[in-house]
Amino acid sequence: MTTPETMKAVVMHGPEDYRLEEIAVPTPATDELLIKVEATGVCASDLKCYHGAAKFWGDENRDRWVSNGVTPGHEIAGTVIEGSDEALSHHQVKVGDRIVIEQIVPCEECMYCQRGWYWMCGPHDMLGFRAHNGGMAEYMIVPPNARPHVIDSSIPPHHAAFAEPLSCSLHAVERANLTFDDVVVIAGAGPIGLGAIIGAAHKSPKQVIALDFDNAKLELAKKCGADLTLNPGEVDVVAKIKELTGGYGADVYIECTGHPSAVGQGLNLLRKLGTYVEYSVFGEDVSVDWSIISDDKELDVLGAHLGPNCWPQAIKIIESGVLPLDEICTHQYGLDDVQTALDQVADSAGASIKVSIVPGL
């Protein structure tokens, strides 16, 4: 296979200024891989970056996620087409392998990396956001500290790219420490919420309850493992869940909507000594009555970030064929239509669930 000299790539030039450009295909260094990008999912964080969100994952000194000259995209599936023996051995891949790639590129030197908490790396360089070009291009470099994983090449590329959000969802479920006796409520049946439903169902708790205002998404939640679905627009979910649990409330609540109202909802429907897990990208600050967390219920409130140590299981689930991925991965666009893809993700009332950029389209 002959690699062309130039390629199409989306390039950031500032908030709401992403341009499709013809640029040189990068040449991998001896410790890097070159992949042909086959699909890149569009995430809510991509949308937040596009609009110029303040702060960069807790770093108060960075006023924008946008990095001029960088190609966005971190939910990546592609085929290895070039790499030195050193790079191939280091990443445990071979030319021709289909891979998916963790979004964090850890420094391996900070306290977090040294203690094994690589997903919380201090510099926090990530594919498609700052130091490393992402997958909204025809080709991209896999840097030496990146963490690729091989996935079956028979999986459609946009399905394979779902490994990234699914691994994130599985991490949120892991944070919840589910038991067989738990009633688990998952707010939101978008990509992350559906992934959390999938992960929770695989843990076999007593009951998995999905919440969403879209009944079509709730039907899909059932296919992903939800035992019960509730539409907050049609039923008082706090009252209903307390009714179902003898007046106590749910054991675990995993928030996957990114809507401020879902936070208070979760605190209120949990039982005393319950567990709240937050996995969302919020567009605004959220205020709650913290006395519910402390004096009223003594809740465990946990955050979740990225998908550490969950990628092998996410890939196994995707490869198993048990998921309705055609219904989850709803919209695919070519590089020429990146603005349409971003707008599709922004349309919360639309029919999309997982939107992807497929360079071959």
Side-chain angles (χ1 to χ4, degrees), residues 148-281:
H149 301 267
V150 176
I151 190 168
D152 194 311
S153 60
S154 68
I155 304 295
H158 56 293
H159 293 182
F162 188 65
E164 193 281 331
L166 181 55
S167 71
C168 292
S169 302
L170 297 185
H171 178 50
V173 171
E174 289 283 85
R175 291 283 281 161
N177 294 311
L178 301 187
T179 72
F180 295 133
D181 289 331
D182 285 337
V183 173
V184 183
V185 177
I186 296 166
I192 296 297
L194 290 172
I197 292 163
I198 292 161
H202 276 71
K203 294 283 189 178
S204 298
K206 180 187 291 183
Q207 190 173 34
V208 177
I209 302 173
L211 310 180
D212 202 283
F213 285 93
D214 186 326
N215 287 325
K217 290 180 180 177
L218 290 177
E219 286 302 310
L220 184 53
K222 292 177 183 177
K223 296 180 182 180
C224 290
D227 301 302
L228 176 67
T229 61
L230 298 173
N231 185 327
E234 300 174 358
V235 64
D236 183 336
V237 297
V238 175
K240 183 63 176 178
I241 288 166
K242 287 187 176 180
E243 175 190 328
L244 293 169
T245 56
Y248 291 104
D251 301 284
V252 176
Y253 180 84
I254 303 177
E255 200 291 298
C256 302
T257 72
H259 194 283
S261 66
V263 179
Q265 171 183 263
L267 298 178
N268 283 305
L269 64 76
L270 281 168
R271 63 163 169 81
K272 295 177 181 180
L273 302 174
T275 298
Y276 179 111
V277 178
E278 182 58 60
Y279 202 127
S280 281
V281 176

Side-chain angles (χ1 to χ4, degrees), residues 55-347:
K55 304 179 186 177
F56 190 98
W57 280 290
D59 187 341
E60 300 288 345
N61 295 319
R62 299 186 184 279
D63 62 355
R64 298 287 182 191
W65 290 11
V66 170
S67 299
N68 289 351
V70 172
T71 292
H74 61 279
E75 299 180 4
I76 302 157
T79 297
V80 178
I81 61 168
E82 189 176 338
S84 68
D85 290 343
E86 172 192 335
L88 294 169
S89 175
H90 170 69
H91 287 300
Q92 298 183 340
V93 300
K94 62 183 184 297
V95 171
D97 279 347
R98 160 84 59 71
I99 62 171
V100 289
I101 316 165
E102 298 195 31
Q103 61 276 60
I104 187 76
V105 183
C107 71
E108 308 292 2
E109 297 177 356
C110 70
M111 178 193 73
Y112 300 103
C113 288
Q114 289 295 307
R115 293 187 182 183
W117 304 327
Y118 72 94
W119 67 99
M120 298 304 297
C121 172
H124 223 75
D125 288 334
M126 302 183 77
L127 296 171
F129 283 108
R130 194 165 75 205
H132 302 286
N133 289 318
M136 293 187 190
E138 293 180 290
Y139 297 86
M140 67 167 278
I141 292 291
V142 179
N145 285 358
R147 297 189 172 213
H149 301 267
V150 176
I151 190 168
D152 194 311
S153 60
S154 68
I155 304 295
H158 56 293
H159 293 182
F162 188 65
E164 193 281 331
L166 181 55
S167 71
C168 292
S169 302
L170 297 185
H171 178 50
V173 171
E174 289 283 85
R175 291 283 281 161
N177 294 311
L178 301 187
T179 72
F180 295 133
D181 289 331
D182 285 337
V183 173
V184 183
V185 177
I186 296 166
I192 296 297
L194 290 172
I197 292 163
I198 292 161
H202 276 71
K203 294 283 189 178
S204 298
K206 180 187 291 183
Q207 190 173 34
V208 177
I209 302 173
L211 310 180
D212 202 283
F213 285 93
D214 186 326
N215 287 325
K217 290 180 180 177
L218 290 177
E219 286 302 310
L220 184 53
K222 292 177 183 177
K223 296 180 182 180
C224 290
D227 301 302
L228 176 67
T229 61
L230 298 173
N231 185 327
E234 300 174 358
V235 64
D236 183 336
V237 297
V238 175
K240 183 63 176 178
I241 288 166
K242 287 187 176 180
E243 175 190 328
L244 293 169
T245 56
Y248 291 104
D251 301 284
V252 176
Y253 180 84
I254 303 177
E255 200 291 298
C256 302
T257 72
H259 194 283
S261 66
V263 179
Q265 171 183 263
L267 298 178
N268 283 305
L269 64 76
L270 281 168
R271 63 163 169 81
K272 295 177 181 180
L273 302 174
T275 298
Y276 179 111
V277 178
E278 182 58 60
Y279 202 127
S280 281
V281 176
F282 286 96
E284 56 189 291
D285 292 341
V286 180
S287 297
V288 297
D289 180 358
W290 276 72
S291 63
I292 300 173
I293 297 168
S294 57
D295 189 50
D296 289 358
K297 294 186 176 181
E298 195 174 321
L299 300 176
D300 287 333
V301 178
L302 304 169
H305 178 56
L306 306 187
N309 306 311
C310 294
W311 283 74
Q313 187 61 30
I315 291 168
K316 182 179 179 181
I317 292 171
I318 289 171
E319 290 179 339
S320 73
V322 300
L323 301 183
L325 285 169
D326 282 331
E327 296 178 66
I328 295 172
C329 301
T330 53
H331 291 71
Q332 297 82 50
Y333 297 97
L335 286 166
D336 292 342
D337 295 317
V338 66
Q339 186 62 57
T340 304
L342 290 164
D343 292 343
Q344 187 82 55
V345 174
D347 181 10

